[in-house]
Amino acid sequence: MSDPEQPNNPVTLREILQETRDEVLQWDHGLPGTLHWLLRQPALVIRHYLWQRSGRFTRPLRFLLLSVAVTILMDWLVHRQLGWRSLVTPAADLDNFLIENSAVLLLLILPIIALVFRLCFFGLQIRYVDALVTLAYTQGLINFFGALMILLLPLAPAQRIVLIVVTLMMMMYTLWAWSSVAVGPVWRRWLAALGALVLAQVANAAYLQLINWVI
């Protein structure tokens, strides 16, 4: 591959700072906008990328990896630096291994779950790449929310109840977000989302069992 020709107007520091501002601060652009609209209209974010190749929102892979990094950082800060303990504190070698290698492990399991997703949504205009992008965005949002919970849960007076409520909320969000991307009858989309969620949990459990056996 040859080097590109030198342009007449190369990028300036001001442009880089403006792009950084858009990525970090603007409510409708970059990371804040991605989080905002994934909560309000997840299908909007996903279709912007799939159908328009839009740069308005953070790219799905970048969003997912950033969420993993934030989760790892928050766990390190809360459990190892502050010394807080909660129901989500890693207590076993497997848990530590999963956190330390979560980015790689997530990238390995995601294509498998995307295949399950594609099969469950068969006939609802969901391609395999649609499933990958949808999973990257929704899992990324759940990771960010999980990082927030790592920070707040140790301060909660009834940790177990809070954890159950938050888990149910995330499950309902997942079902809603996944069903909103598909095209077809509402009942069919929700049924496909429920089937995909159940099978994804089965695949994830089998994957973790395999890792436990290997290590």
XYZ file of all heavy atoms in Angstrom, residues 18-38 40-60 62-63 137:
400
model
N -11.694 19.699 18.434
C -13.130 19.755 18.177
C -13.727 18.354 18.076
O -14.809 18.091 18.599
C -13.406 20.549 16.900
C -13.180 22.049 17.047
C -13.362 22.786 15.724
O -13.290 22.194 14.644
N -13.591 24.090 15.812
N -13.013 17.451 17.403
C -13.494 16.072 17.293
C -13.538 15.414 18.664
O -14.469 14.658 18.974
C -12.586 15.281 16.351
C -12.717 15.690 14.885
C -11.762 14.918 14.000
O -10.963 14.128 14.552
O -11.816 15.103 12.774
N -12.523 15.692 19.484
C -12.506 15.147 20.840
C -13.663 15.684 21.658
O -14.316 14.935 22.403
C -11.170 15.483 21.524
O -10.084 14.995 20.730
C -11.102 14.872 22.917
N -13.933 16.978 21.513
C -15.071 17.569 22.208
C -16.384 16.903 21.791
O -17.218 16.567 22.618
C -15.131 19.067 21.907
C -16.320 19.805 22.548
C -16.612 21.086 21.790
N -17.006 20.796 20.411
C -17.097 21.736 19.465
N -16.806 22.994 19.733
N -17.475 21.393 18.228
N -16.544 16.705 20.479
C -17.764 16.069 19.981
C -17.896 14.646 20.499
O -18.996 14.182 20.809
C -17.775 16.062 18.448
C -17.895 17.465 17.869
O -18.268 18.384 18.632
O -17.615 17.641 16.675
N -16.760 13.954 20.590
C -16.776 12.550 21.019
C -17.096 12.419 22.499
O -17.733 11.465 22.924
C -15.411 11.919 20.738
C -15.300 10.455 21.081
C -16.027 9.552 20.097
O -16.310 9.992 18.962
O -16.322 8.412 20.467
N -16.678 13.400 23.296
C -16.761 13.260 24.749
C -17.893 14.062 25.380
O -18.515 13.611 26.343
C -15.409 13.667 25.396
C -15.499 13.617 26.916
C -14.293 12.763 24.893
N -18.208 15.229 24.836
C -19.095 16.147 25.529
C -20.480 16.309 24.922
O -21.440 16.527 25.644
C -18.425 17.535 25.630
C -17.115 17.589 26.427
C -16.552 18.997 26.411
C -17.340 17.118 27.853
N -20.622 16.234 23.612
C -21.906 16.556 22.993
C -22.940 15.470 23.280
O -22.672 14.279 23.083
C -21.749 16.778 21.491
C -21.030 18.077 21.165
C -21.252 18.510 19.728
O -22.029 17.917 19.002
N -20.569 19.560 19.331
N -24.130 15.894 23.694
C -25.169 14.980 24.130
C -25.723 14.140 22.985
O -26.222 13.044 23.203
C -26.288 15.776 24.782
C -27.244 14.933 25.560
C -28.570 14.786 25.320
C -26.963 14.120 26.706
N -29.141 13.935 26.238
C -28.169 13.510 27.106
C -25.800 13.842 27.424
C -28.252 12.644 28.196
C -25.883 12.986 28.502
C -27.084 12.396 28.880
N -25.665 14.637 21.760
C -26.197 13.907 20.611
C -25.104 13.276 19.762
O -25.387 12.740 18.692
C -27.040 14.836 19.727
C -28.475 14.932 20.232
O -28.854 14.088 21.058
O -29.197 15.844 19.822
N -23.857 13.381 20.181
C -22.758 12.830 19.403
C -21.805 12.065 20.323
O -21.823 12.225 21.543
C -21.978 13.943 18.687
C -22.779 14.665 17.655
N -23.719 15.608 17.983
C -22.782 14.571 16.301
C -24.270 16.088 16.874
N -23.730 15.480 15.845
N -20.972 11.257 19.718
C -19.923 10.593 20.463
C -20.452 9.689 21.564
O -21.564 9.154 21.496
N -19.653 9.525 22.597
C -19.997 8.603 23.677
C -21.241 9.019 24.456
O -22.127 8.180 24.680
C -18.799 8.441 24.620
C -18.981 7.444 25.761
C -19.295 6.053 25.229
C -17.737 7.410 26.641
N -21.370 10.283 24.893
C -22.603 10.662 25.603
C -23.849 10.452 24.755
O -24.867 9.959 25.244
C -22.386 12.152 25.921
C -20.913 12.335 25.915
C -20.408 11.404 24.856
N -23.779 10.831 23.477
C -24.927 10.643 22.600
C -25.250 9.173 22.389
O -26.422 8.791 22.312
N -24.216 8.346 22.298
C -24.432 6.914 22.128
C -25.136 6.320 23.340
O -26.107 5.568 23.202
C -23.093 6.191 21.900
O -22.395 6.799 20.810
C -23.320 4.718 21.576
N -24.677 6.686 24.523
C -25.318 6.206 25.747
C -26.756 6.717 25.851
O -27.678 5.965 26.185
C -24.509 6.660 26.963
C -23.129 6.012 27.138
C -22.329 6.742 28.204
C -23.261 4.538 27.485
N -26.916 7.984 25.550
C -28.232 8.619 25.639
C -29.249 7.944 24.729
O -30.339 7.549 25.156
C -28.091 10.102 25.286
C -29.387 10.829 25.171
N -29.607 11.822 24.235
C -30.551 10.699 25.845
C -30.833 12.268 24.349
N -31.431 11.615 25.319
N -28.886 7.782 23.452
C -29.834 7.236 22.486
C -29.973 5.723 22.586
O -31.006 5.167 22.212
C -29.451 7.671 21.074
C -29.768 9.118 20.843
C -28.881 10.150 20.768
C -31.070 9.689 20.703
N -29.549 11.333 20.597
C -30.892 11.083 20.541
C -32.359 9.168 20.700
C -31.972 11.954 20.372
C -33.432 10.037 20.539
C -33.229 11.408 20.379
N -28.965 5.040 23.091
C -29.134 3.605 23.336
C -30.163 3.365 24.434
O -30.881 2.357 24.415
C -27.801 2.963 23.731
C -26.875 2.562 22.592
C -25.544 2.068 23.137
C -27.516 1.502 21.686
N -32.708 5.524 25.008
C -34.001 6.000 24.513
C -34.496 5.225 23.298
O -35.641 4.780 23.265
C -33.905 7.486 24.146
C -33.806 8.424 25.332
C -33.883 9.865 24.888
N -35.126 10.133 24.156
C -35.416 11.305 23.600
N -34.544 12.311 23.682
N -36.558 11.482 22.965
N -33.617 5.082 22.296
C -33.982 4.411 21.052
C -32.798 3.594 20.536
O -32.066 4.050 19.661
C -34.397 5.436 19.989
C -35.696 6.164 20.272
C -36.022 7.152 19.168
O -35.782 8.358 19.304
N -36.559 6.666 18.076
N -32.590 2.412 21.079
C -31.429 1.615 20.675
C -31.398 1.320 19.178
O -30.331 1.303 18.574
C -31.564 0.335 21.498
C -32.979 0.312 21.980
C -33.390 1.735 22.118
N -32.565 1.109 18.582
C -32.604 0.814 17.145
C -32.075 1.983 16.330
O -31.493 1.790 15.253
C -34.025 0.468 16.721
N -32.275 3.205 16.813
C -31.786 4.391 16.105
C -30.271 4.366 15.969
O -29.722 4.589 14.887
C -32.228 5.658 16.849
C -31.686 6.983 16.306
C -32.329 7.306 14.966
C -31.945 8.110 17.303
N -29.590 4.069 17.076
C -28.124 4.023 17.068
C -27.630 2.915 16.151
O -26.723 3.102 15.334
C -27.592 3.820 18.502
C -26.064 3.714 18.495
C -28.056 4.947 19.409
N -28.237 1.755 16.277
C -27.803 0.594 15.504
C -28.022 0.810 14.013
O -27.152 0.509 13.188
C -28.549 -0.663 16.003
C -28.125 -0.971 17.454
C -28.270 -1.865 15.103
C -29.025 -1.954 18.164
N -29.175 1.347 13.643
C -29.468 1.560 12.229
C -28.662 2.699 11.629
O -28.374 2.686 10.438
C -30.969 1.802 12.058
C -31.783 0.542 12.267
C -33.259 0.814 12.372
N -34.003 -0.424 12.577
C -35.259 -0.465 12.988
N -35.922 0.655 13.239
N -35.858 -1.635 13.150
N -28.304 3.694 12.446
C -27.433 4.755 11.956
C -26.119 4.178 11.447
O -25.579 4.612 10.431
C -27.161 5.781 13.063
C -27.920 7.054 12.906
N -27.481 8.107 12.154
C -29.124 7.437 13.400
C -28.355 9.084 12.196
N -29.363 8.715 12.941
N -25.613 3.199 12.179
C -24.347 2.582 11.768
C -24.539 1.597 10.622
O -23.783 1.597 9.652
C -23.696 1.883 12.959
C -22.390 1.212 12.606
C -21.228 1.961 12.433
C -22.314 -0.164 12.429
C -20.033 1.357 12.089
C -21.120 -0.781 12.087
C -19.989 -0.010 11.923
O -18.811 -0.611 11.571
N -25.570 0.754 10.731
C -25.774 -0.299 9.736
C -26.238 0.243 8.386
O -25.794 -0.222 7.338
C -26.803 -1.308 10.249
C -26.347 -2.238 11.368
C -27.529 -3.039 11.899
C -25.251 -3.185 10.888
N -27.127 1.205 8.405
C -27.753 1.671 7.178
C -27.095 2.906 6.584
O -27.110 3.091 5.372
C -29.240 1.961 7.422
C -30.034 0.754 7.787
C -29.582 -0.549 7.876
C -31.422 0.704 8.137
N -30.590 -1.390 8.261
C -31.743 -0.659 8.424
C -32.430 1.663 8.235
C -33.012 -1.060 8.801
C -33.696 1.256 8.609
C -33.991 -0.087 8.888
N -26.523 3.756 7.437
C -25.972 5.023 6.947
C -24.465 5.134 7.115
O -23.873 6.111 6.656
C -26.652 6.195 7.661
C -28.155 6.239 7.483
C -28.794 7.408 8.224
O -28.106 8.316 8.676
N -30.107 7.389 8.361
N -23.858 4.131 7.791
C -22.428 4.212 8.097
C -22.100 5.539 8.783
O -21.079 6.158 8.528
C -21.582 4.044 6.829
C -21.731 2.692 6.155
C -20.953 2.623 4.859
N -20.973 1.295 4.264
C -21.947 0.824 3.508
N -23.013 1.579 3.277
N -21.891 -0.387 3.005
N -22.990 5.959 9.628
C -22.901 7.269 10.251
C -21.803 7.320 11.306
O -21.575 6.351 12.038
C -24.246 7.630 10.897
O -24.154 8.810 11.649
N -21.138 8.455 11.378
C -20.137 8.683 12.417
C -20.679 9.484 13.579
O -19.919 9.962 14.419
N -21.998 9.614 13.620
C -22.617 10.401 14.692
C -22.389 9.763 16.056
O -22.175 10.462 17.051
C -24.112 10.546 14.412
C -24.895 11.229 15.531
C -26.366 11.329 15.166
N -27.160 11.857 16.255
C -28.479 11.985 16.232
N -29.151 11.615 15.150
N -29.133 12.475 17.273
N -22.455 8.437 16.097
C -22.296 7.732 17.361
C -20.974 6.975 17.386
O -20.365 6.738 16.341
C -23.451 6.752 17.568
C -24.805 7.394 17.556
C -25.692 7.170 16.508
C -25.203 8.236 18.581
C -26.940 7.766 16.489
C -26.451 8.848 18.566
C -27.325 8.613 17.519
N -20.541 6.607 18.589
C -19.318 5.824 18.739
C -19.471 4.485 18.016
O -20.512 3.834 18.126
C -19.028 5.575 20.224
O -18.974 6.829 20.910
C -17.702 4.850 20.403
N -18.457 4.083 17.286
C -18.503 2.818 16.548
C -18.729 1.646 17.498
O -18.262 1.676 18.647
C -17.202 2.605 15.777
C -16.855 3.725 14.819
C -17.821 3.804 13.676
N -17.415 4.786 12.684
C -18.117 5.092 11.597
N -19.257 4.468 11.366
N -17.702 5.984 10.740
N -19.432 0.616 17.046
C -19.824 -0.461 17.972
C -18.660 -1.166 18.653
O -18.702 -1.412 19.865
C -20.630 -1.420 17.081
C -20.305 -1.045 15.675
C -19.987 0.407 15.703
N -15.564 -0.056 19.128
C -14.917 0.891 20.042
C -15.763 1.068 21.303
O -15.233 1.119 22.421
C -14.726 2.240 19.350
C -13.993 3.273 20.206
C -14.044 4.656 19.584
N -13.562 4.654 18.216
C -13.589 5.731 17.423
N -14.091 6.869 17.883
N -13.125 5.671 16.194
N -17.061 1.172 21.126
C -17.978 1.336 22.259
C -17.893 0.137 23.194
O -17.824 0.283 24.417
C -19.398 1.515 21.727
C -20.428 1.755 22.785
C -20.519 2.985 23.419
C -21.321 0.753 23.155
C -21.479 3.216 24.399
C -22.276 0.976 24.127
C -22.358 2.210 24.758
N -23.410 -3.051 20.771
C -23.970 -1.851 21.388
C -24.700 -2.161 22.694
O -24.486 -1.490 23.715
C -24.926 -1.153 20.422
C -24.246 -0.191 19.466
C -24.439 -0.285 18.098
C -23.436 0.838 19.942
C -23.827 0.601 17.221
C -22.824 1.740 19.081
C -23.018 1.613 17.713
O -22.408 2.493 16.855
